Amino acid sequence: MKILDHLEEWLITFLMAAATTIIFVSVAHRYLSGLSIPGFQDWLLSLNFGWTQELCIIMFVWMAKFGAAYGVRTGIHVGVDVLINRMSGRTRAKFVVIGLLSGALFTGIVGTLGAHFVWENGFHYAFYTFMGWELVDVPEGPTTPDLEWPTWIVYSAIPLGSSLMCFRFLQVTASFIRTGELPHHDHGHVDGIDEATIAEEINAFEMEDNLHPHDLTYKRRHPEDQTGQGGKK
């Protein structure tokens, strides 16, 4: 579970670092190839970097899918919850649970359909080949234009990312039922900066609006809000 708790951060960090490095090398290669340096220019022109754009696009797709799961776990996703935040605690809690379970159901369906698509798109062939089983009318599946990778590898981001989102929705639901708290993301916080900054003292980045549902501990964390509806007196 410790590994799973930080899976999104590790994967996104790796993909972002790799994509940045690849883009830098590709741009440097394109620039240096234009320099008339005997021998060196010929060697650079012999290198093929035409695949870098396709690979970076694939990386960004994977970052987006797993970033969405990270957003569920940390409470980054924005929702319009004006009516829910005006309800009483018990009623609001029911609607919050319904919303979380609806998210789990939707992402679970997308993950299941995505897994079926990936299986029929070439993973079926790869799995049978790996196991040494007989292939009878099993298509190999298409490949990407530049890298010539099986497309099922690229599309695997859909079932994997959606399934992780489904798990995160269920995880947040269980935590909310147990503690009454939802994950909160401080939009004004920047890692590495002291908490006691001027911006925080004047609440420049505070987002106490109806962009997120108020959990059952909202009044305790915001005693200055006597209305319980997110508005300051």
Side-chain angles (χ1 to χ4, degrees):
M1 185 60 70
K2 291 291 185 180
I3 296 177
L4 192 58
D5 286 343
H6 299 282
L7 177 62
E8 298 96 334
E9 290 99 321
W10 292 339
L11 182 60
I12 294 172
T13 301
F14 168 76
L15 291 175
M16 189 173 296
T20 303
T21 303
I22 291 171
I23 292 173
F24 172 79
V25 173
S26 177
V27 172
H29 171 264
R30 186 178 304 176
Y31 173 77
L32 294 175
S33 297
L35 302 179
S36 299
I37 303 176
F40 182 69
Q41 185 182 40
D42 295 335
W43 174 72
L44 287 177
L45 292 175
S46 67
L47 301 177
N48 177 24
F49 279 86
W51 49 268
T52 56
Q53 181 178 1
E54 182 177 278
L55 179 58
C56 288
I57 291 174
I58 294 172
M59 287 181 171
F60 280 114
V61 170
W62 277 71
M63 277 190 276
K65 290 302 296 181
F66 283 86
Y70 173 80
V72 174
R73 182 170 65 83
T74 58
I76 292 177
H77 289 298
V78 173
V80 181
D81 301 290
V82 177
L83 295 178
I84 293 179
N85 289 339
R86 291 182 176 273
M87 297 177 180
S88 61
R90 185 178 296 273
T91 303
R92 183 168 66 248
K94 293 179 180 178
F95 276 92
V96 169
V97 171
I98 291 174
L100 292 172
L101 292 179
S102 297
L105 176 62
F106 175 76
T107 51
I109 292 174
V110 172
T112 302
L113 295 177
H116 177 73
F117 176 78
V118 168
W119 177 262
E120 297 294 335
N121 200 59
F123 182 63
H124 190 184
Y125 178 90
F127 183 75
Y128 271 48
T129 302
F130 177 78
M131 297 298 295
W133 296 346
E134 182 180 0
L135 297 171
V136 179
D137 297 330
V138 178
E140 184 176 356
T143 59
T144 60
D146 297 326
L147 293 169
E148 297 184 352
W149 287 359
T151 55
W152 67 263
I153 296 178
V154 180
Y155 297 144
S156 294
I158 298 175
L160 294 177
S162 298
S163 298
L164 185 58
M165 281 188 71
C166 179
F167 172 76
R168 293 304 186 195
F169 272 117
L170 295 175
Q171 192 177 40
V172 172
T173 303
S175 176
F176 177 75
I177 293 175
R178 186 174 64 256
T179 65
E181 295 184 3
L182 290 170
H184 294 278
H185 177 72
D186 185 0
H187 298 269
H189 174 69
V190 178
D191 291 337
I193 296 181
D194 188 8
E195 294 291 334
T197 61
I198 297 178
E200 290 175 346
E201 290 176 0
I202 64 175
N203 294 323
F205 299 104
E206 189 176 20
M207 295 186 66
E208 294 305 335
D209 47 24
N210 287 307
L211 295 177
H212 301 85
H214 297 166
D215 58 27
L216 301 185
T217 64
Y218 177 82
K219 289 185 178 181
R220 185 169 67 249
R221 290 183 289 106
H222 299 274
E224 72 280 2
D225 183 1
Q226 299 299 321
T227 65
Q229 299 173 3
K232 302 289 191 297
K233 280 191 174 182

